[in-house]
Amino acid sequence: MARVTVTRRLPDGGLDSLRVAGHELVENARDHPFDAAQLADAARTSDALVCLLTDRIDRAVLEAGAGHLRVVANVAVGYDNVDVRAATDLGIAVCNTPGVLDETTADLAFLLILAAARLAHDAEADLRAGRWAGWGILQYLGQDVHGATLGLVGYGRIGKAVARRATGFGMNVAHHTRHDTGLPGWVPELDRLLAESDIVSLHVPLTHESRHLIGTAELARMKQSGVLVNTSRGPVIDEEALAAALEAGTIFAAGLDVFEHEPEVHPRLLAAPRAVLLPHVGSASIATRTRMAQVASEGARAVLAGETPPNLVTSG
Ligand code: GLV
């Protein structure tokens, strides 16, 4: 029997495989976020950690668990919060939750595409605030989504799920990745994709190469009628540069589910026109969040049983 610390409350049923395997579960009944010292303490006293993307599992935390912590199971597909290199150095396995949140996240990306292009937030805010004085032919004129060109930056499982939805909306779909996908619509140069797309949606993991991938120069490549959507990780966009582009009207609108310094949102973005801002809810459906917890737990169970789970993350 191993000791498994679960850093936050998870959806019901999420920990079943660990429970059935007979492991001791140390749960965070108060559901308060662990600070660095509490994470290190958990690592020091556990064989496995089941954690969230809001937990910073850095080298110091992992070193606290050196010698007995066997696995960190992150209940997220992204794992930029975990120092995978340090984990590998210390012989600690890392698991994530690929495959189970693609469709739910793609739904949310599409929601942001539609809401941003059609100025849904500004229109709704006016209505709720009593500023709507009746139908007007010049009010809230957005950009059409049907028939538009969608440029996907990153073309993994989630990017492809967004592409499938876009086809149903009669959009032309292109994608940019650093390596040739060999698939129709691949654009080798990011700048060209940005210049030719009406709507740009980001689907890359956060790495040191993708940090601030979209900054002042890249925003300047986009059409003035262009819409930028981000459901990946906040730091992929330079928020200061995006706020400036929205304020100056050099792009049309933005839809963001993720932010550079969550839970803080850049005050200029909060005040920027034509921005739809959501609090990192890409995978937030009951079924998907439950499945994510189950997949992470199953990965931890497998590592503890000496198996190699399919959701093992490697550092290379
Ligand atoms: C959510 O952002 C995830 O990475 O699963």
Side-chain angles (χ1 to χ4, degrees):
M1 184 175 91
R3 185 177 161 94
V4 181
T5 296
V6 186
T7 63
R8 298 297 297 267
R9 268 194 58 207
L10 295 182
D12 287 347
L15 295 166
D16 283 356
S17 63
L18 287 162
R19 245 186 262 284
V20 169
H23 295 305
E24 180 198 353
L25 295 180
V26 182
E27 294 184 68
N28 178 353
R30 289 201 296 123
D31 197 31
H32 61 87
F34 281 9
D35 62 21
Q38 288 168 311
L39 285 172
D41 220 47
R44 195 173 296 114
T45 55
S46 311
D47 304 288
L49 282 183
V50 178
C51 60
L52 300 188
L53 60 86
T54 44
D55 297 314
R56 204 172 138 64
I57 311 294
D58 57 16
R59 186 174 281 274
V61 168
L62 292 160
E63 276 172 355
H68 64 89
L69 180 66
R70 293 172 60 193
V71 55
V72 172
N74 202 39
V75 188
V77 68
Y79 48 85
D80 46 281
N81 59 309
V82 181
D83 186 337
V84 179
R85 168 74 57 193
T88 307
D89 291 347
L90 295 161
I92 300 167
V94 178
C95 297
N96 68 340
T97 66
V100 293
L101 50 76
D102 308 338
E103 302 297 335
T104 302
T105 306
D107 284 348
L108 200 279
F110 226 85
L111 181 157
L112 286 175
I113 289 171
L114 290 165
R118 296 298 299 273
L119 304 178
H121 167 74
D122 291 4
E124 198 206 16
D126 281 355
L127 181 146
R128 285 183 184 276
R131 287 188 295 263
W132 183 49
W135 189 86
I137 199 156
L138 296 177
Q139 286 172 354
Y140 309 116
L141 305 186
Q143 306 291 341
D144 276 324
V145 170
H146 71 272
T149 294
L150 173 65
L152 299 167
V153 181
Y155 204 52
R157 284 179 301 258
I158 298 173
K160 287 179 181 141
V162 175
R164 287 195 293 279
R165 284 155 179 74
T167 309
F169 270 75
M171 302 180 86
N172 310 305
V173 185
H175 62 274
H176 166 76
T177 52
R178 280 180 304 170
H179 304 294
D180 189 353
T181 56
L183 296 169
W186 180 62
V187 176
E189 308 86 14
L190 175 62
D191 279 356
R192 181 148 77 81
L193 185 97
L194 295 172
E196 292 176 358
S197 299
D198 300 302
I199 296 167
V200 174
S201 188
L202 307 179
H203 300 287
V204 288
L206 177 62
T207 61
H208 51 266
E209 282 100 9
S210 68
R211 189 172 292 275
H212 283 194
L213 184 68
I214 306 294
T216 304
E218 292 72 27
L219 289 159
R221 302 265 174 237
M222 287 181 62
K223 297 182 183 181
Q224 196 169 6
S225 56
V227 173
L228 178 64
V229 166
N230 190 12
T231 51
S232 62
R233 284 291 184 265
V236 175
I237 296 181
D238 175 348
E239 281 182 354
E240 186 89 22
L242 175 58
L246 288 166
E247 286 162 7
T250 60
I251 70 166
F252 184 72
L256 307 176
D257 185 43
V258 286
F259 301 92
E260 264 194 271
H261 305 289
E262 295 178 11
E264 263 92 62
V265 179
H266 197 301
R268 277 177 75 185
L269 268 186
L270 284 172
R274 301 177 310 280
V276 183
L277 310 177
L278 294 179
H280 204 148
V281 290
S283 62
S285 74
I286 297 164
T288 292
R289 286 279 168 88
T290 303
R291 197 72 201 107
M292 287 165 68
Q294 289 168 338
V295 167
S297 299
E298 176 49 23
R301 186 215 56 80
V303 173
L304 292 172
E307 300 162 16
T308 304
N311 54 333
L312 193 67
V313 170
T314 52
S315 67

